[in-house]
Amino acid sequence: MTAQTHIAILGAGPGGYVAAIRAAQLGARVTVVERDALGGVCLNWGCIPSKALLSVVELGDKIKKSGDLGLRVPGPVTYDVAQMVARKNKVVATLVKGIATLFKSWNIEHVQGTGAITNARTIAVTTPEGGRRDIAADAIVIATGSSWPNLPQFPIDGQQLVTSQQLLDLTRVPASLLIVGAGVEGCEFASLYSGLGTQVTMVELLSRVLPLEDEEISSTMERELKKRGVTVLTGTTVEQVERLPHVVQARLKDGTTVAVDTVLVSVGRGFNSRGIGLETVGVQVGRRGEIVVNDRMETNVPGIYAIGDVVGKAMLAHVASAQGKVAVENIMGHRTAVRYEVIPAGIFTLPEVGRVGLTEQQAREQAQAQGRDPGSSIVVGRFRYAGLGKAQAVGEITGLFKVVADKETGRILGVHIVGAHAADLIHEAALTMQVGATITQVADMIHAHPTLSEGMMEAMEDVEGRAIHQARKKVGA
């Protein structure tokens, strides 16, 4: 395509705005349609604001432990939640302004309004003032994301029953909080509010918290949540809630009742694929409402692409960004695709979780499906934070590095970390898997001392039974 290719992008979240900038870098003329704030859910009501608040609680946790390190801080740790929220809002505003500045520097047009596709090359935009503008383009990228589900059994009122979006703006700390769902979002908010002094109860339908993570990581996280005073109820569900003047009563599957001030509904998200004109142009949608795309992020309608949460692949901000780059690179004539098997992810609980690749169970199931013996073909290495000099020195001894590998080839299949800075540390593993390095190659790479990254090296060594700071294993153990 020519340098003057016009690309219209519907949505300016981490998928849409990144796609816009990459398209402009490649010489395209770009128009972005966004009805809300630049940055989407991640920047305004998700990733960034929650981490801004969690960082304060993490600092408070450190101060609470500071006496053991020899630091005397007079008086108890207290939190000014109104100031925390004000700071969070300032951080968000700064980053939103930063995106606007980037758009300006790359001559990207930002159109405020609600867009809908009227044909394969046109988006009709309804402006906040009620006017209409038609944007004709050579290609369209749908980046409308996902939203909080509207479940009849959980009537959200923004006061007693809330979503994470509303909970992020509470300037009062509820005395008690029931979190429905113990996935990533649920566990992050359990860490946050238990740190603020709220009595937190979590209810999870499946048998463990973080049910999509490696089982050992989930076990560690459940133990740490309980240490924080969180009540964890797994294998059950909330069947009914009743709002009373000053309390919410939730009846569980087993008939027991939990009475709390506030209920956080954290049970999945819905795809924003309705009301954007997909039926008009015949874009194929899956049974869950996700937009179906190929490896180039193109829909079944030539010239219309879709990225981010709305395609239902991996609902992570950085995946949306990667998909956005792939979509516009293909539009501009560069054949690229997303490598879904090597996507790192971070969970910003206290402590953090980082992961990439397969869990141990997934690796064993994959081996079995290939006709191989899972017991002999899959090997695991572990190393605990407590064995690291840096972890001991800084007082961060809770945690685990876990490596899952193919014994025959030495190929790394997955890495899982729970502990301080896990979401940062996981990227060494992701790069290792991206370039195809083996267990031996990573184990033999010299790691700086004293660092937490040495835990990665030791876990790799442990796969081969040669971790230096690991006690000798008994034969047959």
Side-chain angles (χ1 to χ4, degrees):
M1 289 194 175
T2 68
Q4 291 304 304
T5 297
H6 184 197
I7 300 176
I9 300 174
L10 186 56
Y17 90 74
V18 169
I21 294 170
R22 175 53 57 87
Q25 290 172 343
L26 294 172
R29 181 164 70 91
V30 185
T31 301
V32 177
V33 178
E34 173 57 60
R35 67 182 180 186
D36 293 315
L38 294 175
V41 170
C42 174
L43 173 48
N44 293 278
W45 310 287
C47 317
I48 300 303
S50 62
K51 279 55 180 182
L53 298 178
L54 273 162
S55 68
V56 182
V57 172
E58 183 178 20
L59 179 59
D61 284 356
K62 290 179 182 295
I63 294 172
K64 290 175 185 178
K65 297 189 298 183
S66 63
D68 295 336
L69 305 180
L71 176 63
R72 302 289 177 235
V73 179
V77 173
T78 60
Y79 295 96
D80 184 334
V81 180
Q83 185 173 341
M84 288 171 59
V85 170
R87 173 186 171 272
K88 177 264 294 184
N89 292 340
K90 184 177 180 180
V91 169
V92 169
T94 298
L95 293 173
V96 170
K97 184 178 179 181
I99 296 173
T101 300
L102 289 170
F103 274 17
K104 185 176 181 180
S105 74
W106 286 102
N107 296 317
I108 296 168
E109 182 185 20
H110 170 211
V111 178
Q112 188 82 32
T114 301
I117 300 170
T118 54
N119 62 57
R121 296 293 181 270
T122 307
I123 296 175
V125 182
T126 302
T127 66
E129 297 77 27
R132 170 170 166 155
R133 173 182 170 186
D134 289 338
I135 298 171
D138 298 301
I140 292 172
V141 179
I142 302 169
T144 47
S146 64
S147 56
W148 292 267
N150 183 16
L151 304 174
Q153 66 269 41
F154 300 115
I156 303 299
D157 61 9
Q159 298 296 322
Q160 291 178 298
L161 272 75
V162 300
T163 65
S164 58
Q165 177 180 1
Q166 294 148 346
L167 199 58
L168 287 169
D169 283 324
L170 283 185
T171 54
R172 60 172 181 84
V173 178
S176 54
L177 172 69
L178 173 64
I179 301 177
V180 184
V184 171
E185 181 182 82
C187 287
E188 288 186 354
F189 276 94
S191 293
L192 172 62
Y193 275 88
S194 62
L196 293 174
T198 299
Q199 178 55 57
V200 178
T201 301
M202 302 185 76
V203 174
E204 170 57 48
L205 176 62
L206 299 179
S207 60
R208 54 193 174 96
V209 305
L210 297 180
L212 300 183
E213 301 305 312
D214 186 89
E215 198 164 334
E216 287 184 76
I217 302 302
S218 295
S219 177
T220 301
M221 182 51 58
E222 184 166 331
R223 184 185 70 235
E224 292 305 310
L225 286 169
K226 288 178 178 178
K227 284 183 180 178
R228 300 181 68 83
V230 177
T231 300
V232 179
L233 305 174
T234 56
T236 188
T237 186
V238 176
E239 294 202 330
Q240 184 181 25
V241 293
E242 182 181 4
R243 289 178 293 184
L244 301 174
H246 300 292
V247 70
V248 180
Q249 289 189 340
R251 182 168 58 82
L252 306 187
K253 186 177 181 180
D254 62 4
T256 60
T257 300
V258 178
V260 294
D261 291 348
T262 308
V263 176
L264 167 64
V265 181
S266 180
V267 284
R269 297 181 65 81
F271 303 109
N272 292 337
S273 58
R274 296 177 180 271
I276 58 173
L278 301 185
E279 303 86 353
T280 303
V281 291
V283 170
Q284 183 181 355
V285 176
R287 60 180 181 81
R288 299 175 296 152
E290 77 280 11
I291 298 176
V292 178
V293 293
N294 60 22
D295 63 350
R296 299 186 303 277
M297 308 311 301
E298 189 174 26
T299 70
N300 62 303
V301 178
I304 298 182
Y305 294 70
I307 62 173
D309 283 6
V310 76
V311 304
K313 297 288 187 181
M315 297 171 74
L316 299 166
H318 48 286
V319 173
S321 297
Q323 291 171 335
K325 294 174 186 176
V326 165
V328 297
E329 285 165 4
N330 280 288
I331 291 169
M332 298 301 289
H334 304 273
R335 180 64 187 246
T336 57
V338 178
R339 289 188 58 180
Y340 291 104
E341 76 278 13
V342 189
I343 295 176
I347 303 175
F348 297 89
T349 41
L350 300 173
E352 290 182 356
V353 173
R355 64 166 163 85
V356 63
L358 303 179
T359 66
E360 181 181 353
Q361 181 178 348
Q362 288 170 337
R364 296 194 185 282
E365 289 173 352
Q366 184 183 84
Q368 190 167 22
Q370 295 168 345
R372 304 163 65 203
D373 176 16
S376 60
S377 60
I378 302 300
V379 287
V380 175
R382 301 174 181 84
F383 195 81
R384 299 198 173 277
Y385 271 56
L388 296 170
K390 176 66 177 288
Q392 291 284 351
V394 300
E396 294 287 0
I397 62 173
T398 297
L400 169 73
F401 291 80
K402 180 176 180 178
V403 176
V404 182
D406 185 297
K407 185 175 183 180
E408 182 179 340
T409 64
R411 189 165 64 95
I412 301 165
L413 304 176
V415 177
H416 308 271
I417 310 171
V418 56
H421 304 292
D424 297 310
L425 293 166
I426 197 62
H427 290 87
E428 178 183 346
L431 178 59
T432 295
M433 294 174 66
Q434 180 88 1
V435 301
T438 65
I439 289 289
T440 302
Q441 288 173 322
V442 180
D444 288 348
M445 188 187 89
I446 299 172
H447 286 64
H449 174 78
T451 63
L452 297 179
S453 295
E454 290 175 281
M456 186 75 71
M457 175 184 69
E458 297 263 14
M460 298 283 177
E461 289 179 331
D462 186 54
V463 173
E464 301 177 329
R466 58 189 181 105
I468 296 300
H469 297 93
Q470 194 98 280
R472 184 178 183 179
K473 297 176 181 178
K474 296 180 181 179
V475 176

